[in-house]
Amino acid sequence: MKKMNTNEIEAALKNLTGWELKNDMIEKSFTFKDFKEAFSMMTRIAFECEKQQHHPNWENVYNNLTVKLSTHDANGVTQKDIDLAKTIEDIVA
């Protein structure tokens, strides 16, 4: 998969509320009601990640979840990351 350039990434992020480009990754933080809800959402996201064969870097602290996406084989952001970010948005919504 082809690594996207900064202009392509920024254009794609216009369709993804709250996602930002940082350190060759796209990133967003989510806040949930409590740990149980955050962990439940992570589980739902994990099943979809496995289905897409693409896995995030993420961190969960109590009710906060931070997701960072990058395609390691391409050394940066690809369309695969944009697609997974859209999927995550759909799941969280």
Side-chain angles (χ1 to χ4, degrees), residues 39-50:
F39 193 81
S40 173
M41 200 61 62
M42 289 176 72
T43 302
R44 291 178 60 203
I45 293 168
F47 279 102
E48 189 57 39
C49 291
E50 193 65 18

Side-chain angles (χ1 to χ4, degrees), residues 19 25-32 35 38-39 41-42 45 55-69 88:
W19 289 84
M25 297 181 163
I26 58 172
E27 176 179 328
K28 183 173 179 177
S29 293
F30 299 89
T31 301
F32 301 98
F35 175 77
F39 193 81
M41 200 61 62
M42 289 176 72
I45 293 168
H55 306 92
N57 294 338
W58 56 9
E59 179 179 277
N60 167 240
V61 179
Y62 183 56
N63 68 332
N64 294 304
L65 171 62
T66 300
V67 180
K68 298 177 184 179
L69 302 174
I88 291 169

Side-chain angles (χ1 to χ4, degrees), residues 63-80:
N63 68 332
N64 294 304
L65 171 62
T66 300
V67 180
K68 298 177 184 179
L69 302 174
S70 176
T71 303
H72 301 289
D73 293 342
N75 294 315
V77 177
T78 68
Q79 187 61 48
K80 212 171 184 180

Side-chain angles (χ1 to χ4, degrees), residues 7-30:
N7 291 337
E8 292 170 325
I9 296 167
E10 289 175 354
L13 291 181
K14 289 181 181 179
N15 298 317
L16 292 167
T17 304
W19 289 84
E20 298 177 300
L21 177 61
K22 292 183 180 177
N23 302 319
D24 287 328
M25 297 181 163
I26 58 172
E27 176 179 328
K28 183 173 179 177
S29 293
F30 299 89

